[in-house]
Amino acid sequence: MEKILESLNEAQQDAVKTIDGPVLILAGAGSGKTKTITSRLAYLLAQGIPASSILTLTFTNKAAAEMRERAMNLIEDKTYPPLLCTFHKFGLLFLKFHMEKLGRRNSFVVIDSDDKKRIIKSFGIDMPVGLVANEISRYKNSLMDPALAWEKAEQPNYKKIAQTYEQYEKYIQENNLVDFDDLLVLPYKILDQNEDLCKETSQRYQYVMVDEYQDTNDLQYRLIRKICSTHENICVVGDDDQSIYGWRGANIKNILDFKDEFKNTKIIKLENNYRSTTNILKAANELIEHNRSRLGKVLKSTKGEGTAISIIESHDEKNESTIVAKRIKVLIDKGASPKNIAILYRINALSRSLEEGLNRIGVPYNMVGGVKFYERTEIKDLISYLRIIANPNDDFSIKRIINRPKRGLGKVTLDKILKSAYENHLSIYGYITRKKDDLKDLVSKKSYKALIEFAQNLERLIEVSNEATYNIIDELENLFGVKKYYDQLPDSLERVSNIDEFYGLFRDMVKQNPEMSIDEFLNELALQSDQDGMDTENISIMSIHASKGLEFDYLFVIGMEEGFLPLVGDGSDIEEERRLGYVAITRAKEELTLSYSESRFYKGRRTELSKSRFLKESGVCQGSLVLEKTTSYRKGDLVKHKIFGIGRVFEISKVKREFKLKINFSGTKRDIVASFVEKI
């Protein structure tokens, strides 16, 4: 027992020794969360609680394996390990025992997302398969069957998706298949429909722990409630300030409302931070305090004050990437290990200029959790189009984009064209344009029409390239609609941002060199994306999402502008954006540099930018006031009225559906209805 507790601080020990009733462990960044969970697991076993009575749920197999190993190393009396697995692994094991409750065999096969898309594609639906697959996943996680999905569908496209959902469900049930979503949906349905089994399952797992609770979705919460239906010995570990996956279904309310859902919850806050210096944590704490939807905690450094946070202000993205790359080069020359250095950004499209800057200065890098800008599917498609303009006989590039965007050309049709072109000693483009009669006899009328239109559009592009290189991008988009095609896919925001970035790069390079040909542009790209001779130990560049759980001695966060971090506009959540900023800052151990630029290429044009409100909110520099529409106010808020100017809220009351605010305007106190002011 002493071995388990000896290296824990007071709060960690409290978390480990509290084994009965609901417990919420608020584990701040760098506060020893994994150590606390594994010690608690070992403590339960050391108390004589049977391993079969303990269930620990995580989000990744890697986390589960690490926790199991660390917990078992802490106990002397080696026993068989308790069930420690991901939610989906638990669902799989459960279905193997109880699938017959749904009238199905337990010899089912689990299919992956590619299998799922192939099945959907076989139904011949004329919509992007990825979009349909995502919608079906959303329906399942909302426990909506095909009939309810049809009933709720208001637009024709969603009626089609509901029909496809019905076909899909029929197909996988007839073939005894289970998809990834079913691994949660089906166990929940079985427990919901079988009260005795639900009670038996709950009594088996008397002690339940859930890691990364802030990332759970509604269905996972419901499943947990079923497992805890006969007791409330549940311990959840997480950080509401690091909830950054709302876009993929995570519901922050699960952790915020835990104390209300489970009565007499004990909340334990792990606030001692073993990762970052005081200066870094001060900025993180000040930033996140601006969020309303949080349980509240303040991280305290165990490492001392450290170096002040550095700010980089640049004219544009090229200037920014050069400064960052030079600073990293200096760090490495002074002996810093490249693997301890990282650059983060909110939007992947920002990596393009960053990669070029690192290449110019000669700093090798690895991209974590993503694809290098010029290797992304949508960018390779655009480069293929440009290569064909430069050389219409480039079969490699033609094969890549002849059916992208979709033109209804199947594999059999393409194989026929390739074979005939080869036999006639012609390129694919040459065969389509010079052997039209042969082509007409070879393929269907629909395919023939699509191929002729494709060739004619390419001819038009080649003509435009001979007239004015600058206009090629507009004509490419008008004729082929690449951006429109990617805008229909599930991850459209990211892909369209990348396309806009590429278009902006093209226009900028042609502006700087009006005589530049397509060949020259492509050659420039080839040089910029050359990564030959990279070492295995390089600096890391990645999105903030990809950085969660990692830490670095030297950290650079670029793109600290309104519109980039935070993202603003439809669908964006300013509190989740702020949590992303918090996650980014708390990845830094020793030195943190925040960078913003006065302008960037955005959506194909250069845009003047203002620095992120997060720089001011974290206290690292002065910033302009940012007005924010809201219906939620609290005492101390700064607001602006059209006539009375800026004031501070000192009292709030509710009258029917409106909030009434008492506001101090430079000594004059007034009662104002909330809808007549804007929060600053």
Side-chain angles (χ1 to χ4, degrees), residues 92 95-96 99 104-110 176-178:
L92 174 63
L95 290 178
K96 285 292 181 186
M99 191 61 140
R104 293 177 60 177
R105 303 184 307 279
N106 69 352
S107 57
F108 60 84
V109 173
V110 180
N176 205 25
L177 305 175
V178 168

Side-chain angles (χ1 to χ4, degrees), residues 304-334:
E305 188 173 0
T307 308
I309 293 172
S310 176
I311 303 293
I312 294 174
E313 179 183 359
S314 310
H315 306 305
D316 57 26
E317 66 277 12
K318 185 175 181 180
N319 181 218
E320 176 187 61
S321 65
T322 302
I323 294 171
V324 170
K326 283 181 176 177
R327 289 200 182 186
I328 289 173
K329 186 79 162 55
V330 169
L331 283 172
I332 293 170
D333 289 345
K334 285 182 176 179

